[in-house]
Amino acid sequence: MANNANGEERIQELEQQLEIEKQKYRIISGMVKCGLWEYTVSTGILVQCRLGEGMGEKDRLRIPHFRESMLSAGLIVPEDMGVFEALCTSLSNGDEAFSYDIRSYVDKGKTIWLRYEGYTVFDSKGNPAKVMGRTLNVDQEKRDEQVT
């Protein structure tokens, strides 16, 4: 009986710690100037929070079949297709850490440079489970590079 009570107390303690970490994450994600995202390797679903928002349900954009969704929406500049495929491979293979710069179409055919940075979280068996990352607007940096 004592073990059961200790187990329940430990579960409550862990749930409280988890809630604290969720709140910290919400606060920090609201302070950054980039888009934060999570990619679930087993499902191919990428969940992105809006720029400057938390990861609450109302703040998230859920993109099922990330690779196919991006391609079918025509968001990737054709010249950057190889880099986009490398990004998708890193996501699905669970590369430990990566960074890719890709041009994406936005309003009325205008393009913008985005940097996708990701870090993989592995399960207890060493298999890639989730990739946590951020998307940065590096458009000005890339345009400055082209001028020099």
Side-chain angles (χ1 to χ4, degrees), residues 2-111:
N3 281 342
N4 192 28
N6 287 340
E8 288 178 17
E9 287 177 17
R10 181 67 179 141
I11 289 172
Q12 288 176 348
E13 183 181 304
L14 290 172
E15 286 174 344
Q16 182 180 16
Q17 288 176 356
L18 177 61
E19 188 58 35
I20 289 169
E21 293 304 314
K22 284 181 180 178
Q23 292 303 322
K24 286 180 185 177
Y25 184 80
R26 183 185 59 78
I27 291 166
I28 291 169
S29 68
M31 297 169 62
V32 298
K33 299 296 181 206
C34 61
L36 301 177
W37 48 264
E38 299 176 3
Y39 177 83
T40 304
V41 176
S42 62
T43 64
I45 296 172
L46 187 135
V47 178
Q48 179 152 5
C49 75
R50 294 183 187 142
L51 184 63
E53 299 289 337
M55 285 295 276
E57 192 64 40
K58 67 178 177 41
D59 303 318
R60 297 186 285 178
L61 172 63
R62 190 172 189 269
I63 307 171
H65 310 290
F66 174 70
R67 180 187 177 283
E68 293 80 10
S69 294
M70 294 291 283
L71 293 175
S72 67
L75 296 175
I76 307 302
V77 172
E79 293 83 10
D80 291 351
M81 199 58 68
V83 180
F84 178 72
E85 290 295 346
L87 166 65
C88 293
T89 298
S90 290
L91 288 169
S92 61
N93 289 347
D95 290 354
E96 191 169 336
F98 58 82
S99 177
Y100 295 100
D101 293 349
I102 300 171
R103 285 171 294 171
S104 182
Y105 289 110
V106 289
D107 298 332
K108 300 176 186 166
K110 179 185 172 203
T111 62

Side-chain angles (χ1 to χ4, degrees), residues 113-130:
W113 280 97
L114 298 174
R115 178 170 295 144
Y116 290 85
E117 296 177 345
Y119 305 91
T120 300
V121 178
F122 298 88
D123 66 17
S124 60
K125 295 178 182 172
N127 299 315
K130 282 197 181 265

